[in-house]
Amino acid sequence: MIAEIGLAALWLAAALAALQLFAGFAGARVADGNTAIAALVRPAAVMQAVLCAVAFLSLLYVFAITDLSVKLVAVNSHSMKPLIFKLSGAWGNHEGSMLLWITVMALAGGLIALIERRLPERTMMATLCAQAFVALGFYAFLLLSSNPFERLREVPAEGNGLNPLLQDVGLAFHPPTLYIGYVGLSVAFSFAVAALLTRNVTPDFARVMRPWVLGAWIFLTIGITAGSYWAYYELGWGGWWFWDPVENASLMPWLAATALLHSVSVLAARDALRTWTIMLGVVAFSMSMVGTFLVRSGILTSVHAFAVDPERGSFILALLALYIGGALVIFALRANTIAEGERFNLVSREGALVVNNVALTSILGVVLLGTLYPLLTEAFDVRVSVGPPYFNPVSAIFFLPMMVVLMVGPLLRWRRDEFSRIIKPVALVAAIAFTVLIRVAIWNDIGILPMFGLAIAAGLAIASFAPLLKRALRRTPLAVWGMCIAHFGVAVALFGMAADTAFQQERLVATSVGDVVEVGPWTGRLDSVNAVAGPNWTAMQANMMVSYKGGPEREAHPQSRNFWTPQMETSEVALLTRWNGQLYVAVGNQAEDGRWQMRLWWKPFVTFIWYGGLLIALGGALALIGRVLGDLRRRRNEGEAEDEAGHDFEEVPA
C-alpha cells in the first residue's frame, strides 16, 4: 500500500507541475504578473513539494522494511544489510536517484514560491514556469520509463543486495549533497531563462539569484570533497582523483557554478557582466544535465555509474536537447536586448574576475573534451583512453595563471585601479612563492607541476587574508570573511594535492607473519591474519603493529572482504592519520607460498586536500549567511522607508 501511495503522490505532483507551467505562463504574459490563474502558481509549487516528499518518504519506507514485492527493493537491497545501507540504497540506483533529484527540485521550487518576494511578479511567474517545465520532463522520465514503485508479480525470497562498493556511509552523504547542488543549478537556470523572457537582467535580479547559486555551489563542493575521500579509502588504490568520467560529471558543473557565482556577484554589486551571467546560468545547468546523461545512459562503465538501457539514456538525451537547446535559442533571440551594464577597466576587481572566469570555462572545456572524446571515438570502433597525461598538464595551462590572478584580484578596487597601489603586498606574496619554488626545486627531485603547485599554494595562503588588512575585523562583513576562508581553502587543497603527488612513497610487498616492512618514516610488522565476519560479509583481516619514526606502536587492520549478496571482493584499507599525512595500508590475497600481498603508501599532507575542500565550503556558507542577513536588513530598511514616505520604496530618492 505504501508503494501505491508514493506512486499516486508522484502522479499528483506531475499534474500540479503541469498546472504550475500553464498558470505561470499565463502570469508571465501579463505586465504585472497578476491574473486569476496566476494566483495558483505558488500554491501548486508548494503542494508539489509536499507530494514529492511523500513519494520519497514512501520509497525510504519500503527500503527500510525490505519490501521485496517492490522491484527496486528486490534488485538493490537485502534483508541482512544494516539499516543505514538499506536507506542509502534507496538512492544508490537509477530510479531512486532520479526520484531524489525530482524531490529536491520540487522542494526548491516550493521554497521559492513561499519566501521569494523580491522580484517583479511577472519575472517570478516566469521563473516558476521554467522550473515546472524542467520538472515535467523528469516526472515523465520517472513515471513512463523508470517507475521506482513498480511491483513484482512473484515476490523473491531474498533481494539481490546493493553493490558492495556502495555499502559505505559515504553513500549516505555523497549523492544527496551533489543532487542538492545540481538542483540548485536548475533554479539558477530557471532564473536566467525568466530574466531573458521578461528582459529583467538587473542587479536586483542578481541579488535574488545569488543565494541560490551560492547554496548550490556549497553543496557541490561538499559532494565532490566527500566523493573524493570516499573513492580514496573505498577503492583501495590510494588515489584521491582518477579523472573518472563520472568524477568529471560532477566537476564540470562545479567549474561552471564557480564562474557563475563570481559573475552574478559582479552583476549584483556593480551592474556588470549581464550577458555573461545569463550565459553561465545556462551552461552550469547544462553541465549537470550532461553529467546526468553520462551517469545514467549506460554508455559509461564506472563504480559510480548506473548502467541502464539505451532507451532511457535516449530519453535523458532528449530532455537535455530540449532544455539546453531551448534555452540557447531564447538566449540567441534575446541576448541583444540585454543592456551592456557598467564598464570597467581590465585592472580592476571586475577585470580579475573576468580573467578567472575565462580560465574556469577553459578548464571546463578541457574536462568536457577529455570526457566525451573517448565516447565519440568508440562510436567509430576506435578505443582511446584519456587520463592524467592529458588532464593534468592541459588543465594546468589555465589553472596556474588563474591561481596567480586569484592572489591579486581581491586586492584590486572595483571599476578601475592602478597596479602601483598594491605593489607592496603583491611583491611580498611573490617573494614568498618564489622562495618556496627555489627551495623545492633545489632540494627535491619532483615534477614541475607539483613544484609550481607548492609555490602557488604558499603565495595564495598569504594573499587570501590580504583583503582583511586595514579593516576593523569585528565589523568586517561575513561575506568578506567567507571569501578569504574559501580562497585559503583553495590554497590548502592545492598544497595537499601537490605535496601528495610530489612526496608520496609506495611499497608493494609479499609478507609472512612476523615480517617487517618500511615505507617512508613508518615501520610495520605483520602479526597475524585472521578470518572475521560482518553482517553480510566475511573477510581476511591483517593485524599489523606500526610505528612512526620508532615511536609508540599503533594497530592497523586492513581487510580483504567477500560479500555474499551480490558476491564481490573488496579491499577495506587501514588509515593511520597524523597531522602531516596518512599511512595507507591494503591487504590482498595469499600467495601459494603462504605470503600475503600487501600495499603500503606514505602520503604526506594528503588530508589537506579534504580539509581544503571543507574550508572552501565553510567560506561559501559564511558568505551565504552574510548575504542573506544583508538582504534581510536591506528589505527591513526598505520597508521602514516605505512606511515613512507613504509610497513604494522604488520612488524614494537614493
Side-chain angles (χ1 to χ4, degrees):
M1 185 64 181
I2 297 297
E4 284 70 27
I5 291 175
L7 184 59
L10 204 55
W11 275 105
L12 288 173
L16 286 173
L19 173 62
Q20 180 181 328
L21 172 63
F22 291 112
F25 180 75
R29 289 175 60 87
V30 180
D32 60 0
N34 292 315
T35 65
I37 192 171
L40 299 174
V41 174
R42 292 181 187 268
V46 174
M47 282 306 302
Q48 187 187 156
V50 172
L51 289 168
C52 280
V54 169
F56 189 71
L57 288 174
S58 300
L59 186 68
L60 288 178
Y61 181 79
V62 297
F63 266 88
I65 65 172
T66 317
D67 184 351
L68 297 174
S69 68
V70 177
K71 180 180 178 181
L72 196 65
V73 178
V75 173
N76 295 281
S77 192
H78 190 282
S79 61
M80 296 186 67
K81 282 197 312 181
L83 179 61
I84 187 173
F85 298 146
K86 290 181 181 179
L87 294 177
S88 59
W91 57 77
N93 56 79
H94 170 74
E95 291 84 355
S97 66
M98 295 307 293
L99 179 57
L100 175 61
W101 174 294
I102 196 64
T103 300
V104 177
M105 179 178 289
L107 291 172
L111 189 60
I112 293 173
L114 276 176
I115 70 173
E116 198 54 73
R117 294 290 189 275
R118 290 172 291 175
L119 282 180
E121 192 65 14
R122 182 166 174 256
T123 303
M124 182 52 59
M125 291 297 102
T127 298
L128 292 173
C129 177
Q131 190 78 353
F133 182 67
V134 173
L136 267 177
F138 286 99
Y139 283 124
F141 181 66
L142 268 176
L143 294 170
L144 300 180
S145 69
S146 301
N147 178 10
F149 298 104
E150 181 181 350
R151 292 281 191 182
L152 291 173
R153 292 184 179 179
E154 296 183 6
V155 180
E158 190 53 270
N160 293 340
L162 182 66
N163 183 339
L165 290 175
L166 302 181
Q167 293 186 36
D168 184 85
V169 70
L171 185 68
F173 303 103
H174 174 50
T177 51
L178 279 182
Y179 281 16
I180 293 173
Y182 285 162
V183 173
L185 295 181
S186 79
V187 174
F189 173 81
S190 298
F191 276 124
V193 170
L196 276 175
L197 291 173
T198 60
R199 297 181 176 88
N200 186 38
V201 185
T202 63
D204 289 336
F205 151 77
R207 281 190 282 271
V208 173
M209 183 180 180
R210 180 169 54 188
W212 296 96
V213 176
L214 188 51
W217 180 82
I218 292 168
F219 279 101
L220 278 175
T221 303
I222 295 172
I224 292 173
T225 302
S228 170
Y229 191 63
W230 170 76
Y232 167 76
Y233 72 76
E234 181 64 26
L235 300 184
W237 298 339
W240 41 267
W241 194 262
F242 302 96
W243 293 110
D244 180 283
V246 182
E247 288 180 327
N248 294 347
S250 61
L251 176 63
M252 291 186 291
W254 185 86
L255 292 169
T258 304
L260 173 60
L261 176 61
H262 290 89
S263 182
V264 76
S265 297
V266 172
L267 176 55
R270 299 296 166 179
D271 193 16
L273 304 183
R274 293 185 175 190
T275 306
W276 188 246
T277 300
I278 296 298
M279 187 63 185
L280 284 174
V282 174
V283 170
F285 182 60
S286 302
M287 292 301 102
S288 68
M289 286 295 296
V290 168
T292 303
F293 171 71
L294 290 175
V295 175
R296 292 168 182 80
S297 62
I299 64 175
L300 293 179
T301 300
S302 168
V303 66
H304 308 76
F306 303 118
V308 297
D309 55 89
E311 286 76 11
R312 289 194 282 187
S314 300
F315 200 131
I316 297 175
L317 185 60
L319 289 179
L320 192 155
L322 179 63
Y323 296 149
I324 308 310
L328 291 177
V329 168
I330 295 173
F331 181 82
L333 294 175
R334 293 294 182 93
N336 60 344
T337 66
I338 301 176
E340 181 181 2
E342 298 294 332
R343 293 177 175 270
F344 52 86
N345 288 353
L346 179 61
V347 182
S348 64
R349 188 173 295 187
E350 295 97 326
L353 288 170
V354 168
V355 171
N356 273 3
N357 275 7
V358 170
L360 282 167
T361 51
S362 299
I363 297 171
L364 171 59
V366 169
V367 177
L368 181 63
L369 177 62
T371 304
L372 297 183
Y373 183 71
L375 305 179
L376 295 175
T377 59
E378 190 170 345
F380 298 96
D381 294 326
V382 178
R383 294 188 176 274
V384 176
S385 177
V386 178
Y390 161 77
F391 286 109
N392 290 345
V394 179
S395 298
I397 294 173
F398 304 101
F399 179 78
L400 295 180
M402 182 179 71
M403 292 295 100
V404 173
V405 175
L406 187 61
M407 298 182 201
V408 178
L411 300 175
L412 296 171
R413 291 171 175 166
W414 296 102
R415 297 274 189 256
R416 62 173 55 86
D417 202 350
E418 297 293 335
F419 192 74
S420 58
R421 187 186 64 82
I422 60 171
I423 192 66
K424 289 184 178 179
V426 170
L428 174 62
V429 170
I432 292 172
F434 186 72
T435 301
V436 172
L437 181 66
I438 296 301
R439 165 66 178 79
V440 173
I442 292 177
W443 291 87
N444 300 95
D445 182 19
I446 62 176
I448 189 169
L449 290 183
M451 182 171 61
F452 277 102
L454 290 169
I456 291 176
L460 181 58
I462 302 300
S464 298
F465 294 102
L468 299 177
L469 295 176
K470 300 181 180 179
R471 281 181 177 266
L473 297 184
R474 290 186 178 181
R475 289 183 290 178
T476 299
L478 271 180
V480 176
W481 278 106
M483 175 191 70
C484 295
I485 291 174
H487 289 179
F488 180 69
V490 173
V492 171
L494 179 59
F495 170 73
M497 296 173 189
D500 177 61
T501 303
F503 306 125
Q504 75 166 341
Q505 299 179 46
E506 178 184 1
R507 288 288 306 278
L508 177 60
V509 295
T511 61
S512 300
V513 173
D515 286 352
V516 175
V517 182
E518 294 184 356
V519 58
W522 288 87
T523 302
R525 183 185 69 253
L526 180 62
D527 283 352
S528 64
V529 180
N530 301 326
V532 295
N536 59 338
W537 50 264
T538 59
M540 297 304 297
Q541 176 176 288
N543 302 302
M544 298 185 67
M545 300 300 295
V546 297
S547 65
Y548 180 81
K549 293 185 176 180
E553 289 190 329
R554 300 168 61 184
E555 295 181 355
H557 303 289
Q559 296 177 347
S560 177
R561 287 185 182 177
N562 282 285
F563 284 80
W564 308 331
T565 306
Q567 293 186 356
M568 180 180 288
E569 182 178 344
T570 67
S571 177
E572 299 296 318
V573 303
L575 295 174
L576 283 84
T577 304
R578 290 177 49 85
W579 71 271
N580 61 339
Q582 277 187 336
L583 175 66
Y584 186 108
V585 186
V587 61
N589 297 321
Q590 188 175 25
E592 293 181 357
D593 60 2
R595 295 187 299 172
W596 292 89
Q597 297 175 358
M598 301 200 70
R599 202 164 188 172
L600 301 91
W601 285 269
W602 164 236
K603 306 178 75 63
F605 300 104
V606 68
T607 52
F608 280 51
I609 298 172
W610 304 293
Y611 296 153
L614 294 178
L615 282 172
I616 294 170
L618 173 62
L622 290 177
L624 178 60
I625 294 170
R627 297 298 185 192
V628 170
L629 292 178
D631 286 342
L632 290 175
R633 285 194 297 269
R634 187 182 300 109
R635 291 162 68 179
R636 184 176 63 248
N637 294 337
E638 290 174 357
E640 293 172 356
E642 289 177 9
D643 293 340
E644 294 175 2
H647 49 67
D648 288 341
F649 181 77
E650 283 77 12
E651 298 177 6
V652 178

